[in-house]
mmCIF file of all heavy atoms in Angstrom:
data_model
loop_
_atom_site.group_PDB
_atom_site.id
_atom_site.type_symbol
_atom_site.label_atom_id
_atom_site.label_comp_id
_atom_site.label_asym_id
_atom_site.label_seq_id
_atom_site.Cartn_x
_atom_site.Cartn_y
_atom_site.Cartn_z
ATOM 1 N N PRO A 17 13.630 17.310 22.232
ATOM 2 C CA PRO A 17 14.298 16.527 23.331
ATOM 3 C C PRO A 17 13.367 15.287 23.723
ATOM 4 O O PRO A 17 12.268 15.296 23.498
ATOM 5 C CB PRO A 17 14.392 17.509 24.567
ATOM 6 C CG PRO A 17 13.426 18.520 24.244
ATOM 7 C CD PRO A 17 13.164 18.591 22.735
ATOM 8 N N TYR A 18 14.075 14.320 24.136
ATOM 9 C CA TYR A 18 13.429 12.988 24.726
ATOM 10 C C TYR A 18 13.721 12.867 26.140
ATOM 11 O O TYR A 18 14.786 13.199 26.565
ATOM 12 C CB TYR A 18 13.932 11.856 23.864
ATOM 13 C CG TYR A 18 13.261 11.680 22.489
ATOM 14 C CD1 TYR A 18 13.486 12.538 21.432
ATOM 15 C CD2 TYR A 18 12.286 10.632 22.257
ATOM 16 C CE1 TYR A 18 12.946 12.429 20.122
ATOM 17 C CE2 TYR A 18 11.662 10.565 21.082
ATOM 18 C CZ TYR A 18 11.970 11.362 20.079
ATOM 19 O OH TYR A 18 11.367 11.223 18.866
ATOM 20 N N VAL A 19 12.840 12.166 26.829
ATOM 21 C CA VAL A 19 13.059 11.931 28.339
ATOM 22 C C VAL A 19 12.906 10.316 28.511
ATOM 23 O O VAL A 19 12.111 9.711 27.943
ATOM 24 C CB VAL A 19 11.978 12.584 29.031
ATOM 25 C CG1 VAL A 19 11.799 12.022 30.481
ATOM 26 C CG2 VAL A 19 12.268 14.052 29.182
ATOM 27 N N LEU A 20 13.744 9.923 29.382
ATOM 28 C CA LEU A 20 13.699 8.528 29.832
ATOM 29 C C LEU A 20 13.540 8.617 31.408
ATOM 30 O O LEU A 20 14.246 9.199 32.107
ATOM 31 C CB LEU A 20 14.971 7.723 29.477
ATOM 32 C CG LEU A 20 15.030 6.299 29.956
ATOM 33 C CD1 LEU A 20 15.739 5.348 28.902
ATOM 34 C CD2 LEU A 20 15.846 6.118 31.304
ATOM 35 N N VAL A 21 12.485 7.781 31.914
ATOM 36 C CA VAL A 21 12.473 7.545 33.311
ATOM 37 C C VAL A 21 12.182 6.068 33.626
ATOM 38 O O VAL A 21 11.993 5.326 32.618
ATOM 39 C CB VAL A 21 11.305 8.401 33.917
ATOM 40 C CG1 VAL A 21 11.514 9.848 33.824
ATOM 41 C CG2 VAL A 21 9.906 8.062 33.255
ATOM 42 N N ASN A 22 12.263 5.731 34.796
ATOM 43 C CA ASN A 22 11.883 4.304 35.201
ATOM 44 C C ASN A 22 10.761 4.400 36.260
ATOM 45 O O ASN A 22 11.098 4.371 37.394
ATOM 46 C CB ASN A 22 13.205 3.488 35.761
ATOM 47 C CG ASN A 22 14.027 3.085 34.590
ATOM 48 O OD1 ASN A 22 13.782 1.941 34.088
ATOM 49 N ND2 ASN A 22 14.970 3.815 34.213
ATOM 50 N N PHE A 23 9.593 4.556 35.821
ATOM 51 C CA PHE A 23 8.468 5.006 36.699
ATOM 52 C C PHE A 23 7.928 3.732 37.442
ATOM 53 O O PHE A 23 7.471 2.871 36.734
ATOM 54 C CB PHE A 23 7.401 5.740 35.939
ATOM 55 C CG PHE A 23 6.345 6.347 36.841
ATOM 56 C CD1 PHE A 23 6.522 7.562 37.391
ATOM 57 C CD2 PHE A 23 5.129 5.601 36.882
ATOM 58 C CE1 PHE A 23 5.424 8.033 38.219
ATOM 59 C CE2 PHE A 23 4.152 6.072 37.709
ATOM 60 C CZ PHE A 23 4.349 7.377 38.446
ATOM 61 N N THR A 24 7.880 3.840 38.750
ATOM 62 C CA THR A 24 7.407 2.694 39.552
ATOM 63 C C THR A 24 6.311 3.176 40.455
ATOM 64 O O THR A 24 5.697 2.397 41.173
ATOM 65 C CB THR A 24 8.477 2.019 40.343
ATOM 66 O OG1 THR A 24 9.001 2.922 41.282
ATOM 67 C CG2 THR A 24 9.622 1.444 39.528
ATOM 68 N N GLY A 25 5.973 4.454 40.373
ATOM 69 C CA GLY A 25 4.801 4.950 41.113
ATOM 70 C C GLY A 25 5.081 5.600 42.507
ATOM 71 O O GLY A 25 4.168 5.957 43.142
ATOM 72 N N THR A 26 6.323 5.625 42.893
ATOM 73 C CA THR A 26 6.599 6.289 44.198
ATOM 74 C C THR A 26 6.567 7.796 44.037
ATOM 75 O O THR A 26 6.588 8.445 42.919
ATOM 76 C CB THR A 26 8.001 5.955 44.691
ATOM 77 O OG1 THR A 26 9.126 6.570 43.840
ATOM 78 C CG2 THR A 26 8.189 4.459 44.700
ATOM 79 N N LEU A 27 6.471 8.561 45.189
ATOM 80 C CA LEU A 27 6.442 9.998 45.219
ATOM 81 C C LEU A 27 7.776 10.434 44.534
ATOM 82 O O LEU A 27 7.846 11.586 43.831
ATOM 83 C CB LEU A 27 6.360 10.577 46.612
ATOM 84 C CG LEU A 27 6.420 12.024 46.732
ATOM 85 C CD1 LEU A 27 5.296 12.814 46.000
ATOM 86 C CD2 LEU A 27 6.358 12.553 48.214
ATOM 87 N N ARG A 28 8.854 9.749 44.880
ATOM 88 C CA ARG A 28 10.161 10.130 44.291
ATOM 89 C C ARG A 28 10.153 10.003 42.716
ATOM 90 O O ARG A 28 10.766 10.829 42.000
ATOM 91 C CB ARG A 28 11.268 9.243 44.846
ATOM 92 C CG ARG A 28 12.610 9.495 44.327
ATOM 93 C CD ARG A 28 13.081 10.954 44.684
ATOM 94 N NE ARG A 28 14.371 11.293 43.931
ATOM 95 C CZ ARG A 28 14.777 12.472 43.896
ATOM 96 N NH1 ARG A 28 14.075 13.449 44.388
ATOM 97 N NH2 ARG A 28 15.845 12.815 43.199
ATOM 98 N N ASP A 29 9.429 9.057 42.236
ATOM 99 C CA ASP A 29 9.253 9.015 40.719
ATOM 100 C C ASP A 29 8.499 10.088 40.122
ATOM 101 O O ASP A 29 8.787 10.591 39.058
ATOM 102 C CB ASP A 29 8.655 7.599 40.354
ATOM 103 C CG ASP A 29 9.446 6.347 40.595
ATOM 104 O OD1 ASP A 29 10.702 6.524 40.678
ATOM 105 O OD2 ASP A 29 8.964 5.321 40.722
ATOM 106 N N VAL A 30 7.575 10.534 40.824
ATOM 107 C CA VAL A 30 6.814 11.738 40.490
ATOM 108 C C VAL A 30 7.712 12.943 40.324
ATOM 109 O O VAL A 30 7.819 13.761 39.431
ATOM 110 C CB VAL A 30 5.596 12.075 41.345
ATOM 111 C CG1 VAL A 30 4.843 13.292 40.773
ATOM 112 C CG2 VAL A 30 4.686 10.870 41.522
ATOM 113 N N SER A 31 8.494 13.121 41.451
ATOM 114 C CA SER A 31 9.546 14.178 41.397
ATOM 115 C C SER A 31 10.543 14.041 40.388
ATOM 116 O O SER A 31 11.004 15.055 39.661
ATOM 117 C CB SER A 31 10.173 14.182 42.780
ATOM 118 O OG SER A 31 11.164 15.290 42.850
ATOM 119 N N THR A 32 11.049 12.815 40.003
ATOM 120 C CA THR A 32 11.869 12.605 38.968
ATOM 121 C C THR A 32 11.366 12.933 37.653
ATOM 122 O O THR A 32 11.990 13.544 36.802
ATOM 123 C CB THR A 32 12.348 11.096 39.035
ATOM 124 O OG1 THR A 32 13.099 10.771 40.177
ATOM 125 C CG2 THR A 32 13.353 10.816 37.817
ATOM 126 N N LEU A 33 10.056 12.749 37.469
ATOM 127 C CA LEU A 33 9.361 13.076 36.157
ATOM 128 C C LEU A 33 9.431 14.647 36.067
ATOM 129 O O LEU A 33 9.713 15.105 35.009
ATOM 130 C CB LEU A 33 7.972 12.594 36.208
ATOM 131 C CG LEU A 33 7.187 12.904 34.963
ATOM 132 C CD1 LEU A 33 7.665 12.224 33.727
ATOM 133 C CD2 LEU A 33 5.670 12.466 35.229
ATOM 134 N N ALA A 34 9.158 15.344 37.139
ATOM 135 C CA ALA A 34 9.247 16.877 37.122
ATOM 136 C C ALA A 34 10.591 17.214 36.835
ATOM 137 O O ALA A 34 10.762 18.190 35.959
ATOM 138 C CB ALA A 34 8.778 17.356 38.437
ATOM 139 N N HIS A 35 11.555 16.615 37.402
ATOM 140 C CA HIS A 35 13.048 16.979 37.298
ATOM 141 C C HIS A 35 13.418 16.914 35.734
ATOM 142 O O HIS A 35 13.965 17.792 35.145
ATOM 143 C CB HIS A 35 13.832 16.024 38.097
ATOM 144 C CG HIS A 35 15.367 16.148 37.952
ATOM 145 N ND1 HIS A 35 16.073 16.755 38.934
ATOM 146 C CD2 HIS A 35 16.245 15.910 37.012
ATOM 147 C CE1 HIS A 35 17.266 16.813 38.601
ATOM 148 N NE2 HIS A 35 17.418 16.239 37.391
ATOM 149 N N GLU A 36 13.091 15.657 35.164
ATOM 150 C CA GLU A 36 13.479 15.420 33.745
ATOM 151 C C GLU A 36 12.743 16.363 32.830
ATOM 152 O O GLU A 36 13.240 16.805 31.732
ATOM 153 C CB GLU A 36 13.279 14.046 33.356
ATOM 154 C CG GLU A 36 14.163 13.015 34.178
ATOM 155 C CD GLU A 36 15.660 13.418 34.148
ATOM 156 O OE1 GLU A 36 16.124 14.043 33.219
ATOM 157 O OE2 GLU A 36 16.317 13.160 35.143
ATOM 158 N N LEU A 37 11.523 16.639 33.043
ATOM 159 C CA LEU A 37 10.692 17.550 32.173
ATOM 160 C C LEU A 37 11.195 19.106 32.468
ATOM 161 O O LEU A 37 11.075 19.872 31.491
ATOM 162 C CB LEU A 37 9.183 17.426 32.506
ATOM 163 C CG LEU A 37 8.686 16.140 32.002
ATOM 164 C CD1 LEU A 37 7.162 15.907 32.395
ATOM 165 C CD2 LEU A 37 8.706 16.143 30.456
ATOM 166 N N GLY A 38 11.791 19.307 33.544
ATOM 167 C CA GLY A 38 12.435 20.607 33.818
ATOM 168 C C GLY A 38 13.541 20.698 32.786
ATOM 169 O O GLY A 38 13.749 21.763 32.108
ATOM 170 N N HIS A 39 14.359 19.654 32.644
ATOM 171 C CA HIS A 39 15.366 19.625 31.710
ATOM 172 C C HIS A 39 14.786 19.800 30.246
ATOM 173 O O HIS A 39 15.277 20.609 29.410
ATOM 174 C CB HIS A 39 16.074 18.322 31.664
ATOM 175 C CG HIS A 39 17.150 18.067 32.673
ATOM 176 N ND1 HIS A 39 18.224 18.990 32.826
ATOM 177 C CD2 HIS A 39 17.358 17.087 33.588
ATOM 178 C CE1 HIS A 39 18.989 18.581 33.796
ATOM 179 N NE2 HIS A 39 18.486 17.390 34.333
ATOM 180 N N GLY A 40 13.610 19.141 30.048
ATOM 181 C CA GLY A 40 12.944 19.257 28.778
ATOM 182 C C GLY A 40 12.611 20.709 28.379
ATOM 183 O O GLY A 40 12.801 21.259 27.322
ATOM 184 N N LEU A 41 11.993 21.391 29.346
ATOM 185 C CA LEU A 41 11.720 22.839 29.237
ATOM 186 C C LEU A 41 12.887 23.683 28.919
ATOM 187 O O LEU A 41 12.892 24.532 28.072
ATOM 188 C CB LEU A 41 10.947 23.392 30.562
ATOM 189 C CG LEU A 41 10.754 24.835 30.521
ATOM 190 C CD1 LEU A 41 9.580 25.136 29.548
ATOM 191 C CD2 LEU A 41 10.294 25.313 31.944
ATOM 192 N N HIS A 42 14.016 23.354 29.634
ATOM 193 C CA HIS A 42 15.274 24.070 29.386
ATOM 194 C C HIS A 42 15.718 23.868 28.001
ATOM 195 O O HIS A 42 16.112 24.973 27.290
ATOM 196 C CB HIS A 42 16.382 23.564 30.322
ATOM 197 C CG HIS A 42 17.509 24.454 30.526
ATOM 198 N ND1 HIS A 42 18.371 24.238 31.670
ATOM 199 C CD2 HIS A 42 17.929 25.527 29.883
ATOM 200 C CE1 HIS A 42 19.337 25.250 31.598
ATOM 201 N NE2 HIS A 42 19.064 25.945 30.513
ATOM 202 N N PHE A 43 15.721 22.623 27.477
ATOM 203 C CA PHE A 43 16.141 22.371 26.070
ATOM 204 C C PHE A 43 15.288 23.122 25.131
ATOM 205 O O PHE A 43 15.751 23.520 24.042
ATOM 206 C CB PHE A 43 16.177 20.863 25.872
ATOM 207 C CG PHE A 43 17.401 20.098 26.445
ATOM 208 C CD1 PHE A 43 17.232 19.068 27.220
ATOM 209 C CD2 PHE A 43 18.625 20.565 26.187
ATOM 210 C CE1 PHE A 43 18.386 18.479 27.898
ATOM 211 C CE2 PHE A 43 19.817 19.937 26.658
ATOM 212 C CZ PHE A 43 19.625 18.973 27.469
ATOM 213 N N VAL A 44 13.979 23.077 25.267
ATOM 214 C CA VAL A 44 13.022 23.716 24.347
ATOM 215 C C VAL A 44 13.272 25.237 24.408
ATOM 216 O O VAL A 44 13.343 25.897 23.272
ATOM 217 C CB VAL A 44 11.568 23.380 24.634
ATOM 218 C CG1 VAL A 44 10.643 24.193 23.851
ATOM 219 C CG2 VAL A 44 11.278 21.917 24.442
ATOM 220 N N LEU A 45 13.383 25.829 25.528
ATOM 221 C CA LEU A 45 13.483 27.373 25.498
ATOM 222 C C LEU A 45 14.782 27.794 24.987
ATOM 223 O O LEU A 45 14.966 28.785 24.322
ATOM 224 C CB LEU A 45 13.393 27.786 26.947
ATOM 225 C CG LEU A 45 11.938 27.677 27.573
ATOM 226 C CD1 LEU A 45 11.937 28.147 29.022
ATOM 227 C CD2 LEU A 45 11.026 28.427 26.760
ATOM 228 N N SER A 46 15.874 26.876 25.059
ATOM 229 C CA SER A 46 17.171 27.277 24.620
ATOM 230 C C SER A 46 17.371 26.999 23.022
ATOM 231 O O SER A 46 18.406 27.326 22.381
ATOM 232 C CB SER A 46 18.362 26.573 25.355
ATOM 233 O OG SER A 46 18.252 25.225 25.158
ATOM 234 N N GLN A 47 16.250 26.532 22.383
ATOM 235 C CA GLN A 47 16.304 26.290 21.009
ATOM 236 C C GLN A 47 16.272 27.550 20.215
ATOM 237 O O GLN A 47 16.541 27.515 18.977
ATOM 238 C CB GLN A 47 15.153 25.358 20.611
ATOM 239 C CG GLN A 47 15.385 23.973 21.017
ATOM 240 C CD GLN A 47 14.317 23.012 20.530
ATOM 241 O OE1 GLN A 47 13.111 23.363 20.480
ATOM 242 N NE2 GLN A 47 14.654 21.740 20.210
ATOM 243 N N GLN A 48 16.226 28.672 20.882
ATOM 244 C CA GLN A 48 16.345 29.886 20.128
ATOM 245 C C GLN A 48 17.848 30.264 19.968
ATOM 246 O O GLN A 48 18.124 31.203 19.075
ATOM 247 C CB GLN A 48 15.704 31.050 20.893
ATOM 248 C CG GLN A 48 16.366 31.408 22.168
ATOM 249 C CD GLN A 48 15.518 32.408 22.987
ATOM 250 O OE1 GLN A 48 15.826 33.564 23.070
ATOM 251 N NE2 GLN A 48 14.451 32.007 23.648
ATOM 252 N N GLN A 49 18.635 29.452 20.569
ATOM 253 C CA GLN A 49 20.038 29.694 20.335
ATOM 254 C C GLN A 49 20.605 28.868 19.129
ATOM 255 O O GLN A 49 19.882 27.911 18.722
ATOM 256 C CB GLN A 49 20.926 29.183 21.569
ATOM 257 C CG GLN A 49 20.540 29.845 22.907
ATOM 258 C CD GLN A 49 21.066 31.327 22.880
ATOM 259 O OE1 GLN A 49 21.955 31.818 22.143
ATOM 260 N NE2 GLN A 49 20.381 32.179 23.597
ATOM 261 N N THR A 50 21.702 29.252 18.605
ATOM 262 C CA THR A 50 22.289 28.404 17.578
ATOM 263 C C THR A 50 23.047 27.274 18.236
ATOM 264 O O THR A 50 23.217 27.202 19.430
ATOM 265 C CB THR A 50 23.322 29.308 16.715
ATOM 266 O OG1 THR A 50 24.286 29.819 17.502
ATOM 267 C CG2 THR A 50 22.454 30.320 15.978
ATOM 268 N N MET A 51 23.457 26.237 17.432
ATOM 269 C CA MET A 51 24.021 25.051 17.928
ATOM 270 C C MET A 51 25.115 25.177 18.841
ATOM 271 O O MET A 51 25.241 24.515 19.947
ATOM 272 C CB MET A 51 24.493 24.082 16.751
ATOM 273 C CG MET A 51 24.911 22.684 17.189
ATOM 274 S SD MET A 51 23.550 21.706 17.713
ATOM 275 C CE MET A 51 24.443 20.325 18.277
ATOM 276 N N ILE A 52 26.115 26.126 18.697
ATOM 277 C CA ILE A 52 27.242 26.266 19.543
ATOM 278 C C ILE A 52 26.690 26.712 20.964
ATOM 279 O O ILE A 52 27.249 26.366 21.880
ATOM 280 C CB ILE A 52 28.179 27.322 18.994
ATOM 281 C CG1 ILE A 52 29.080 26.532 17.992
ATOM 282 C CG2 ILE A 52 29.032 28.004 19.961
ATOM 283 C CD1 ILE A 52 30.161 27.521 17.201
ATOM 284 N N ASN A 53 25.718 27.435 20.959
ATOM 285 C CA ASN A 53 25.290 28.022 22.256
ATOM 286 C C ASN A 53 23.976 27.252 22.769
ATOM 287 O O ASN A 53 23.372 27.703 23.778
ATOM 288 C CB ASN A 53 24.900 29.509 22.076
ATOM 289 C CG ASN A 53 26.107 30.337 21.810
ATOM 290 O OD1 ASN A 53 27.150 30.043 22.198
ATOM 291 N ND2 ASN A 53 25.854 31.405 21.009
ATOM 292 N N TYR A 54 23.736 26.128 22.298
ATOM 293 C CA TYR A 54 22.454 25.476 22.645
ATOM 294 C C TYR A 54 22.545 24.837 24.038
ATOM 295 O O TYR A 54 21.567 25.018 24.792
ATOM 296 C CB TYR A 54 22.135 24.339 21.624
ATOM 297 C CG TYR A 54 20.929 23.449 21.889
ATOM 298 C CD1 TYR A 54 19.672 24.001 22.241
ATOM 299 C CD2 TYR A 54 20.994 22.110 21.904
ATOM 300 C CE1 TYR A 54 18.663 23.341 22.505
ATOM 301 C CE2 TYR A 54 19.852 21.392 22.070
ATOM 302 C CZ TYR A 54 18.657 21.930 22.441
ATOM 303 O OH TYR A 54 17.541 21.167 22.730
ATOM 304 N N HIS A 55 23.595 24.122 24.344
ATOM 305 C CA HIS A 55 23.624 23.371 25.601
ATOM 306 C C HIS A 55 24.159 24.352 26.713
ATOM 307 O O HIS A 55 25.232 24.941 26.535
ATOM 308 C CB HIS A 55 24.567 22.243 25.424
ATOM 309 C CG HIS A 55 23.914 21.147 24.587
ATOM 310 N ND1 HIS A 55 23.003 20.169 25.138
ATOM 311 C CD2 HIS A 55 24.152 20.784 23.370
ATOM 312 C CE1 HIS A 55 22.674 19.274 24.266
ATOM 313 N NE2 HIS A 55 23.327 19.740 23.082
ATOM 314 N N ALA A 56 23.386 24.405 27.847
ATOM 315 C CA ALA A 56 23.868 25.121 29.032
ATOM 316 C C ALA A 56 25.124 24.532 29.555
ATOM 317 O O ALA A 56 25.358 23.369 29.488
ATOM 318 C CB ALA A 56 22.780 25.041 29.966
ATOM 319 N N PRO A 57 25.913 25.417 30.194
ATOM 320 C CA PRO A 57 27.240 24.927 30.824
ATOM 321 C C PRO A 57 26.831 24.033 31.952
ATOM 322 O O PRO A 57 25.693 24.169 32.567
ATOM 323 C CB PRO A 57 27.867 26.239 31.278
ATOM 324 C CG PRO A 57 26.744 27.288 31.364
ATOM 325 C CD PRO A 57 25.818 26.907 30.233
ATOM 326 N N LEU A 58 27.653 23.082 32.281
ATOM 327 C CA LEU A 58 27.327 22.153 33.315
ATOM 328 C C LEU A 58 26.824 22.714 34.657
ATOM 329 O O LEU A 58 25.886 22.178 35.231
ATOM 330 C CB LEU A 58 28.500 21.218 33.688
ATOM 331 C CG LEU A 58 28.831 20.114 32.621
ATOM 332 C CD1 LEU A 58 29.987 19.184 33.206
ATOM 333 C CD2 LEU A 58 27.564 19.199 32.500
ATOM 334 N N PRO A 59 27.343 23.803 35.155
ATOM 335 C CA PRO A 59 26.845 24.330 36.460
ATOM 336 C C PRO A 59 25.335 24.723 36.383
ATOM 337 O O PRO A 59 24.737 24.687 37.423
ATOM 338 C CB PRO A 59 27.802 25.591 36.734
ATOM 339 C CG PRO A 59 28.989 25.220 35.997
ATOM 340 C CD PRO A 59 28.618 24.406 34.810
ATOM 341 N N LEU A 60 24.901 25.023 35.160
ATOM 342 C CA LEU A 60 23.461 25.521 35.051
ATOM 343 C C LEU A 60 22.626 24.409 34.412
ATOM 344 O O LEU A 60 21.436 24.634 34.251
ATOM 345 C CB LEU A 60 23.386 26.698 34.246
ATOM 346 C CG LEU A 60 24.136 28.032 34.682
ATOM 347 C CD1 LEU A 60 23.962 29.243 33.717
ATOM 348 C CD2 LEU A 60 23.776 28.358 36.127
ATOM 349 N N ALA A 61 23.219 23.253 34.039
ATOM 350 C CA ALA A 61 22.484 22.274 33.398
ATOM 351 C C ALA A 61 21.370 21.637 34.267
ATOM 352 O O ALA A 61 20.386 21.125 33.814
ATOM 353 C CB ALA A 61 23.428 21.098 32.981
ATOM 354 N N GLU A 62 21.450 21.687 35.634
ATOM 355 C CA GLU A 62 20.547 21.075 36.494
ATOM 356 C C GLU A 62 19.643 22.217 37.047
ATOM 357 O O GLU A 62 18.819 21.905 37.928
ATOM 358 C CB GLU A 62 21.240 20.360 37.628
ATOM 359 C CG GLU A 62 22.064 19.085 37.105
ATOM 360 C CD GLU A 62 21.240 17.995 36.596
ATOM 361 O OE1 GLU A 62 19.921 17.927 36.916
ATOM 362 O OE2 GLU A 62 21.664 17.280 35.716
ATOM 363 N N THR A 63 19.719 23.378 36.648
ATOM 364 C CA THR A 63 18.907 24.486 37.234
ATOM 365 C C THR A 63 17.445 24.251 37.026
ATOM 366 O O THR A 63 16.598 24.367 38.004
ATOM 367 C CB THR A 63 19.386 25.843 36.705
ATOM 368 O OG1 THR A 63 20.742 25.939 36.867
ATOM 369 C CG2 THR A 63 18.602 27.021 37.417
ATOM 370 N N ALA A 64 17.002 24.135 35.822
ATOM 371 C CA ALA A 64 15.625 23.945 35.464
ATOM 372 C C ALA A 64 14.970 22.738 36.090
ATOM 373 O O ALA A 64 13.815 22.716 36.497
ATOM 374 C CB ALA A 64 15.354 24.075 33.910
#
């Protein structure tokens, strides 16, 4: 997976970096699934 942020140095930007890397962790851990089951359903997509 790849991450895009627009980092300007605010505390909110630090939090956004954590947020997107949470997604990244989610995508890496779900790589044990096959393609059909790879992507989490939308209600859980923001959990990590």
Side-chain angles (χ1 to χ4, degrees):
Y18 279 73
V19 162
L20 178 144
V21 294
N22 280 272
F23 187 82
T24 62
T26 67
L27 178 62
R28 181 62 191 163
D29 288 341
V30 182
S31 185
T32 297
L33 182 64
H35 179 105
E36 299 307 332
L37 288 169
H39 280 303
L41 175 69
H42 198 166
F43 282 125
V44 171
L45 293 179
S46 64
Q47 285 183 325
Q48 63 185 263
Q49 301 292 337
T50 57
M51 185 67 186
I52 277 177
N53 294 329
Y54 177 49
H55 290 278
L58 278 184
L60 299 183
E62 296 296 333
T63 304

